[in-house]
Amino acid sequence: MFIGPPGSGKGSLARLCQEKWGWENLSTGDLCRQHIADKTEIGKHIDFALKSGILVSDELITDMVAKWLASLADDVNATIMDGYPRTVEQARLFNELIRNNIRSLTLKIVKFFINDKVIINRLSHRYICENTSCQTVYSTAKDSPFAPRVVMMCDKCSSHLIQRKDDQPHAIKERLKIYHEHAKDLIDFYLNNGYSVVEINGEKTLQQVFEEFKKVMCLNGV
Ligand code: ADP
């Protein structure tokens, strides 16, 4: 379970673990954007929240997570939850969900820490692939290792790159505010329920973050 502010590198690390080890990767943000692109009823309902950087309701997002988990094959060995749960209520709902539906599960919580100024700089240079079944993330920052090979075009599927509406300055501020409102209580919820929380410095390069992740999770031999 990755807990961290927007732009702290949760999604990048999740995708790397998916590529390297075939882990499943649940990004509730990606799921929401997919609904909006597909113009589903849920998509129409959550469009405004996504644009403005506010949270979708705890029940609705948990319902999406439940459906996604139910669609997983039985032999999945690891799943990253990127961006869920984000509130104590979601954490409670998730606990109920796994208690009722999943027989054996070890939950590991990874918290990303990073300075808000670094985040604002990162997000204002972030572009994503407009193809919602791809959504690969790029950066237009000078000398970034995440630059696309061809300007404003996705390396993987050649679709155009777009800026997320919630990567505009006012929405970034709102998302950071919301993150800070919930993060401490969320972490306390897990600590008070006997889980340990490991921390990762999200300001480092992706490779360094990956190495740190392997170390704190004791995955060095993997
Ligand atoms: P970020 O974490 O960088 O803000 P995400 O792509 O994870 O971006 O999420 C984008 C948006 O999707 C959020 O601002 C929110 O509107 C919605 N969303 C994603 N996950 C959740 C969640 N767990 N609870 C409520 N809303 C969510």
Side-chain angles (χ1 to χ4, degrees), residues 21-215:
W21 301 319
W23 288 8
E24 294 293 334
N25 180 5
L26 169 71
S27 157
T28 40
D30 283 355
L31 273 188
C32 290
R33 282 184 287 277
Q34 181 87 58
H35 271 286
I36 292 171
D38 295 345
K39 298 192 168 60
T40 64
E41 281 309 308
I42 292 179
K44 286 179 206 157
H45 185 71
I46 64 179
D47 189 41
F48 176 75
L50 269 278
K51 272 188 200 134
S52 15
I54 57 178
L55 294 183
V56 170
S57 83
D58 294 328
E59 290 73 19
L60 186 55
I61 209 93
T62 302
D63 204 39
M64 282 187 206
V65 171
K67 291 201 174 92
W68 185 86
L69 284 175
S71 74
L72 283 182
D74 288 339
D75 58 351
V76 164
N77 74 2
T79 298
I80 292 176
M81 315 274 296
D82 165 11
Y84 179 90
R86 257 174 227 224
T87 64
V88 171
E89 182 56 17
Q90 288 179 20
R92 282 205 199 98
L93 291 170
F94 183 64
N95 265 8
E96 273 172 34
L97 187 69
I98 53 181
R99 197 175 312 127
N100 296 335
N101 296 300
I102 299 176
R103 257 164 267 136
S104 73
L105 175 111
T106 315
L107 197 55
K108 301 201 174 179
I109 298 146
V110 182
K111 181 186 175 210
F112 291 65
F113 62 92
I114 178 168
N115 185 288
D116 280 2
K117 281 198 187 124
V118 180
I119 291 175
I120 292 168
N121 183 44
R122 267 189 196 174
L123 293 186
S124 52
H125 288 100
R126 176 163 82 172
Y127 282 76
I128 63 166
C129 175
E130 69 174 353
N131 171 2
T132 44
S133 50
C134 179
Q135 300 197 41
T136 301
V137 178
Y138 296 91
S139 172
T140 56
K142 198 168 169 281
D143 300 327
S144 168
F146 300 104
R149 281 196 294 269
V150 178
V151 178
M152 294 305 275
M153 204 171 257
C154 178
D155 293 354
K156 291 188 183 155
C157 70
S158 300
S159 302
H160 283 106
L161 305 188
I162 50 166
Q163 190 170 36
R164 277 170 44 173
K165 295 213 170 61
D166 60 352
D167 278 346
Q168 312 284 342
H170 62 283
I172 296 176
K173 272 200 188 150
E174 184 64 24
R175 284 153 68 205
L176 279 172
K177 186 174 133 256
I178 292 174
Y179 172 76
H180 291 301
E181 273 168 19
H182 292 284
K184 189 179 174 304
D185 289 346
L186 185 59
I187 296 287
D188 285 347
F189 172 87
Y190 282 110
L191 291 174
N192 293 336
N193 280 284
Y195 294 96
S196 59
V197 178
V198 294
E199 297 208 349
I200 283 194
N201 181 353
E203 285 181 29
K204 298 199 174 159
T205 65
L206 179 57
Q207 196 51 42
Q208 287 168 329
V209 167
F210 184 55
E211 293 307 320
E212 203 176 326
F213 176 68
K214 284 197 285 189
K215 202 162 111 197

